[in-house]
Amino acid sequence: MSGPEHMNTVEGRYVQMDEVDWVDFPEALSAGGIRWKLLNVAPESGAWTAIFDCPAGSSFASHVHIGPGEYFLTRGRMEVRGGVDDGGDTAVAPGYGYEACQAYHGRTYFPEDSEFYMTFLGPLNFVGEKGETVALVTWKVAQDAWEASQS
Amino acid sequence: MSGPEHMNTVEGRYVQMDEVDWVDFPEALSAGGIRWKLLNVAPESGAWTAIFDCPAGSSFASHVHIGPGEYFLTRGRMEVRGGVDDGGDTAVAPGYGYEACQAYHGRTYFPEDSEFYMTFLGPLNFVGEKGETVALVTWKVAQDAWEASQS
Amino acid sequence: MSGPEHMNTVEGRYVQMDEVDWVDFPEALSAGGIRWKLLNVAPESGAWTAIFDCPAGSSFASHVHIGPGEYFLTRGRMEVRGGVDDGGDTAVAPGYGYEACQAYHGRTYFPEDSEFYMTFLGPLNFVGEKGETVALVTWKVAQDAWEASQS
Amino acid sequence: MSGPEHMNTVEGRYVQMDEVDWVDFPEALSAGGIRWKLLNVAPESGAWTAIFDCPAGSSFASHVHIGPGEYFLTRGRMEVRGGVDDGGDTAVAPGYGYEACQAYHGRTYFPEDSEFYMTFLGPLNFVGEKGETVALVTWKVAQDAWEASQS
C-alpha cells in the first residue's frame, strides 16, 4: 500500500550556447579573468556541465575532483596537475581528458587563450594550503552562482 | 537568455517495507516462486532498488548486469555465477556482494529459503542461449511491472 | 594511435559480513557508541557501502549527503531530518529510505538499538553550525579510516 | 579479516584527439557515412565518451538511451527526436543537449555536415520496428568495436 513512489521519466533539455552570455567565474576560485556558461545540472546524481573561456595567463585555484570529470578542450592549451613537465598532463586543443574521482589539481593554468567544455559527476572541492575545504562547488552551488549572475 | 533550466533538489522517499505485500516476480525471468517488492526507482540515473524472497530451489534466468549492482543477503544462501564450486561466489547470509558492470549471471540459484536486498545502477539484460536479449529490465520496466501488479 | 586506453571489466567482490568485526565509528562524527563495517568502495564513481550498529541514544553529527544514499533499516528505529514530528522521516525496521543528493541531516538519532545498511554515491559532508565543512567523508576517507582501524 | 578489498584511486587519462583517425561507425547502426572516435570508457559505471563526424544526409538508426547522455554539437545541425518540427529538438552548433534516461530517438538526422561530442552513462539500445533490441551498445561493445577497427 505505501510502496515506492511513481516516478516519471526525465525530459530532455537543450541550450543554444551562443545565445547565452559569458559570465565572470568567481574570483575566489580563479584568477586572470575566467568566464563560464552553466549548461546543465542534474540534481538526482549531482552532475553538472559547463563551458569555460580562459584567457592567456588565467588559472583555477587548487581543487579536488570529488567525482570524475571529463573535458573537451576546444581551443588553446591547458596544464593540468602541473602540466606534462611536472607529472601531469598538458592538453592541447583538440584534446580530451578524463579526470578521475579524487584527482587533485594543484593549479590548472592556461598559457594561451583557451576554451573547454566539461561534464562533472559530483562537486569540486576547492582547498587551501593545508587541504582544508575553502568552497565545495556542488551542482547546487553552481546553479545558485549562475542564477545570481543572471539577475 | 535561454540558459540552463532551473532544477530543484530531489525529495527524500521512504517505504515501510512490511506494509508492502510480496508480489510474484515474472515467471519468464525466474523459476521456483520468487517474489519481490520494488522499493525505489531513480529515473535520472536509471537506478532501482528491490528486495527478493527466494524459496529453496528457486532461481533467476540468465542475465547480464548492464551496470553495477550490490546485494545484501539477509537470509539463506545464494549461488552467483555458478557458485563457489564453479568460479563464482556462494553468498551465505549475512553476506554482501558487489556485482560489477557487465557481470554475467548464467544462473542465480537458491539452495535454501533466502532473501536479499539489492540496489541496481542501470538495467538487467536477460539473455537467451546465444546471448540475445530476451528482456531488458530497466528502472522503467521494473516500475511498470510493479504498478501492473498493484492494480 | 594515441587513442583511448583499454579498460578491463571490473571483478565482482564478496564480503562475509559476520566474519568482519564491528569497529568504532569516529567520535568526531557521531555520539553514543556507533560502530560500523565498511563493505565496499567504488573508486571510479566515488560510491561506498557500509553497515552501522547504533545503540539506543546514539546519533550522527550534522551532515549533508553530497550524492544520493539509500538505507535499509534492518533493526530498530531511526529519526532522520528531525524525525516525522519535525518534517523529516522516522524509519521503523524494516524500512527503506532514499536520501536525496543535497539532503541535510541536522541530526540522525536512534531512540532504540538499531542497525542499518547503506549505499552512498559520493561523500558525506559533515558540517558545523554555520554550514562550514568539518569533515568530507569520501570513499577514500572511509577506506583510509577503515584500514587504519584494522592494523 | 575478510573485509572490503582495498581499491586504488583511478588514474587520469588523456587523448590527443587530432592524432586519432576517424573510423567508420557500424553501418548496421547508421547510414550516410558517419565516422567516430572513441575517447574513453569507464568500466565501473558503464560510461563512455566519443566524438562523431556526420556528413550531410547521414543518420543514426532508432535507439533508446538507457542512461542519460549529453552532447555538445560543435558544427552543423542535428535533428533529435524528430526535430523541432515534430516535438523534438533541432540542435544548431554551438548547441548543448541533455538526453534523458529512456529517451527514444526514432531517427537522429543531420541535414548538413555536423560534428558532436557526447558522453553516455550506460548503453544505447538500438531497436527495431517493434521495439525489440537489435544491438545493445554498452561501453564494452563500444570498446570492442573500436579496438577491432584499429587492428
Side-chain angles (χ1 to χ4, degrees):
Chain A
M1 104 185 248
S2 62
E5 277 187 45
H6 176 82
M7 292 284 144
N8 293 315
T9 53
V10 176
E11 295 292 310
R13 305 191 277 271
Y14 180 68
V15 174
Q16 189 58 50
M17 293 166 67
D18 49 352
E19 292 182 3
V20 178
D21 291 328
W22 291 107
V23 165
D24 291 340
F25 194 71
E27 288 195 13
L29 309 178
S30 64
I34 291 178
R35 300 183 302 168
W36 73 317
K37 299 179 185 184
L38 181 65
L39 299 172
N40 189 60
V41 296
E44 183 194 288
S45 60
W48 53 292
T49 303
I51 189 165
F52 299 90
D53 175 68
C54 308
S58 65
S59 61
F60 286 100
S62 297
H63 59 274
V64 176
H65 285 259
I66 292 298
E70 298 174 81
Y71 64 79
F72 173 15
L73 181 73
T74 53
R75 187 162 52 84
R77 183 179 291 256
M78 174 167 64
E79 296 176 355
V80 294
R81 287 172 276 114
V84 74
D85 292 342
D86 200 20
D89 286 316
T90 296
V92 182
Y96 164 85
Y98 177 85
E99 293 300 314
C101 186
Q102 300 294 319
Y104 172 67
H105 285 195
R107 191 170 174 237
T108 305
Y109 178 70
F110 301 88
E112 53 186 78
D113 289 354
S114 304
E115 186 183 85
F116 71 99
Y117 164 95
M118 193 155 184
T119 50
F120 303 89
L121 177 60
L124 294 177
N125 187 27
F126 284 86
V127 293
E129 292 188 0
K130 294 174 183 172
E132 77 278 12
T133 295
V134 171
L136 186 66
V137 181
T138 62
W139 74 270
K140 185 73 166 51
V141 170
Q143 177 173 271
D144 289 349
W146 178 259
E147 294 182 348
S149 75
Q150 301 296 300
S151 57
Chain B
M1 108 183 248
S2 62
E5 276 186 48
H6 176 81
M7 291 284 143
N8 294 315
T9 52
V10 175
E11 296 292 311
R13 306 191 277 271
Y14 180 69
V15 174
Q16 189 57 51
M17 292 165 67
D18 49 351
E19 292 182 3
V20 178
D21 290 329
W22 291 107
V23 165
D24 290 340
F25 195 70
E27 288 195 12
L29 309 178
S30 64
I34 292 178
R35 301 183 300 166
W36 73 316
K37 299 179 185 185
L38 181 65
L39 299 173
N40 189 59
V41 297
E44 183 193 290
S45 61
W48 53 293
T49 302
I51 190 165
F52 298 89
D53 175 68
C54 308
S58 65
S59 61
F60 287 101
S62 298
H63 59 275
V64 176
H65 285 259
I66 292 298
E70 298 174 81
Y71 64 79
F72 173 16
L73 182 72
T74 52
R75 186 163 51 87
R77 184 179 291 255
M78 173 167 65
E79 296 175 357
V80 293
R81 287 173 276 113
V84 72
D85 291 341
D86 200 18
D89 286 316
T90 296
V92 182
Y96 164 85
Y98 178 85
E99 292 302 312
C101 184
Q102 300 294 319
Y104 173 67
H105 286 195
R107 189 168 175 239
T108 305
Y109 179 70
F110 301 88
E112 52 187 80
D113 289 353
S114 304
E115 185 183 86
F116 71 99
Y117 164 94
M118 193 157 185
T119 51
F120 303 89
L121 176 61
L124 294 177
N125 188 26
F126 284 86
V127 294
E129 292 188 1
K130 295 173 182 173
E132 76 279 11
T133 294
V134 171
L136 185 65
V137 180
T138 62
W139 73 270
K140 184 74 165 53
V141 169
Q143 176 174 271
D144 289 349
W146 178 259
E147 293 181 349
S149 75
Q150 300 297 301
S151 57
Chain C
M1 100 187 251
S2 60
E5 276 186 47
H6 176 81
M7 292 285 144
N8 293 315
T9 52
V10 175
E11 295 292 311
R13 306 192 277 271
Y14 180 69
V15 174
Q16 189 58 50
M17 292 165 68
D18 49 352
E19 292 182 4
V20 178
D21 291 328
W22 291 106
V23 165
D24 291 339
F25 194 70
E27 289 195 12
L29 308 178
S30 64
I34 290 177
R35 299 183 302 166
W36 72 317
K37 299 179 185 186
L38 181 66
L39 299 173
N40 189 59
V41 296
E44 184 194 287
S45 60
W48 53 292
T49 302
I51 189 165
F52 298 89
D53 174 68
C54 307
S58 65
S59 62
F60 286 101
S62 296
H63 59 274
V64 177
H65 284 258
I66 292 297
E70 298 174 81
Y71 64 79
F72 173 16
L73 182 71
T74 52
R75 186 162 52 85
R77 183 179 292 256
M78 174 167 65
E79 297 176 356
V80 292
R81 289 173 274 113
V84 74
D85 291 341
D86 199 21
D89 286 316
T90 296
V92 182
Y96 164 85
Y98 178 84
E99 292 301 312
C101 186
Q102 301 295 319
Y104 173 67
H105 287 196
R107 189 168 174 240
T108 305
Y109 178 71
F110 301 88
E112 53 187 79
D113 289 352
S114 304
E115 185 183 85
F116 71 98
Y117 164 95
M118 192 156 186
T119 51
F120 303 89
L121 177 59
L124 294 177
N125 188 25
F126 284 87
V127 293
E129 292 188 1
K130 296 174 182 171
E132 77 279 10
T133 295
V134 171
L136 186 65
V137 181
T138 63
W139 73 269
K140 185 75 165 54
V141 169
Q143 176 173 273
D144 289 349
W146 178 259
E147 293 182 349
S149 75
Q150 300 296 300
S151 56
Chain D
M1 122 182 229
S2 62
E5 277 187 46
H6 175 82
M7 292 284 145
N8 293 314
T9 52
V10 175
E11 295 292 311
R13 305 191 278 270
Y14 180 69
V15 174
Q16 189 57 50
M17 292 165 67
D18 48 352
E19 292 183 2
V20 178
D21 291 329
W22 291 106
V23 165
D24 291 340
F25 195 72
E27 288 195 13
L29 309 178
S30 64
I34 291 178
R35 300 182 301 166
W36 73 316
K37 299 179 184 184
L38 180 65
L39 299 173
N40 190 59
V41 296
E44 182 194 291
S45 60
W48 52 292
T49 302
I51 189 165
F52 299 90
D53 175 69
C54 308
S58 65
S59 61
F60 286 100
S62 297
H63 59 275
V64 177
H65 285 258
I66 292 298
E70 298 174 80
Y71 65 79
F72 173 17
L73 182 72
T74 53
R75 187 162 51 84
R77 183 178 291 256
M78 174 166 65
E79 297 175 356
V80 294
R81 287 173 275 113
V84 73
D85 291 340
D86 200 20
D89 287 315
T90 296
V92 182
Y96 164 84
Y98 178 85
E99 293 301 313
C101 185
Q102 298 296 319
Y104 172 68
H105 286 196
R107 190 172 174 235
T108 305
Y109 178 70
F110 301 88
E112 52 188 79
D113 289 352
S114 304
E115 186 183 87
F116 71 99
Y117 164 94
M118 193 156 184
T119 50
F120 302 89
L121 177 60
L124 294 177
N125 188 25
F126 284 87
V127 293
E129 293 187 1
K130 295 174 183 171
E132 77 280 12
T133 294
V134 171
L136 186 66
V137 181
T138 62
W139 73 270
K140 185 72 165 55
V141 169
Q143 176 173 272
D144 289 349
W146 178 259
E147 293 182 348
S149 76
Q150 301 296 301
S151 57

